[in-house]
């Protein structure tokens, strides 16, 4: 599953530089996560770094529109890293 930044975002700039896949960018009003690039940090870290640095509770959540298995997330990681 890709992650989603909710309207609780305060644009603190903590998540963007932490994303190893460059999936986070500034949207019109708040930061957004590109689901095609988000692997929930699979292949990089044990937990999503954006969630761990975000100062707002439940601001970055699972995106219900982009449900993926652990295997699919890892395959996406492999593709993004050019390891395939």
């Amino acid at each position: 599953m890709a992650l989603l930044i909710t309207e609780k975002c305060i644009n603190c700039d903590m998540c963007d530089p932490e994303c190893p896949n460059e999936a986070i960018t500034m949207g019109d009003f708040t930061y957004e996560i590109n689901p095609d690039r988000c692997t929930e940090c699979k292949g990089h870290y044990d937990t999503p770094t954006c969630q761990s640095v975000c100062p707002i509770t439940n601001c970055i959540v699972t995106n219900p529109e982009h449900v993926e298995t652990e295997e699919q997330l890892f395959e996406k990681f492999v593709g993004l890293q050019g390891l395939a």
Side-chain angles (χ1 to χ4, degrees):
M1 293 170 249
L3 298 175
L4 173 72
I5 298 175
T6 68
E7 67 279 350
K8 293 180 181 182
C9 178
I10 59 170
N11 299 322
C12 68
D13 302 319
M14 295 294 291
C15 60
D16 180 24
E18 294 298 321
C19 181
N21 296 314
E22 298 178 353
I24 301 174
T25 56
M26 186 62 185
D28 291 335
F29 302 104
T30 61
Y31 279 95
E32 298 175 349
I33 297 177
N34 178 343
D36 294 330
R37 297 194 63 83
C38 180
T39 63
E40 293 188 30
C41 292
K42 299 293 181 228
H44 291 285
Y45 304 108
D46 293 333
T47 59
T49 57
C50 60
Q51 286 179 327
S52 65
V53 299
C54 183
I56 306 300
T57 303
N58 296 323
C59 180
I60 303 175
V61 298
T62 300
N63 187 335
E65 295 181 16
H66 295 278
V67 178
E68 298 168 288
T69 66
E70 298 265 333
E71 292 154 346
Q72 289 170 316
L73 290 169
F74 190 74
E75 286 176 18
K76 191 188 314 183
F77 159 77
V78 169
L80 289 169
Q81 298 304 311
L83 303 173

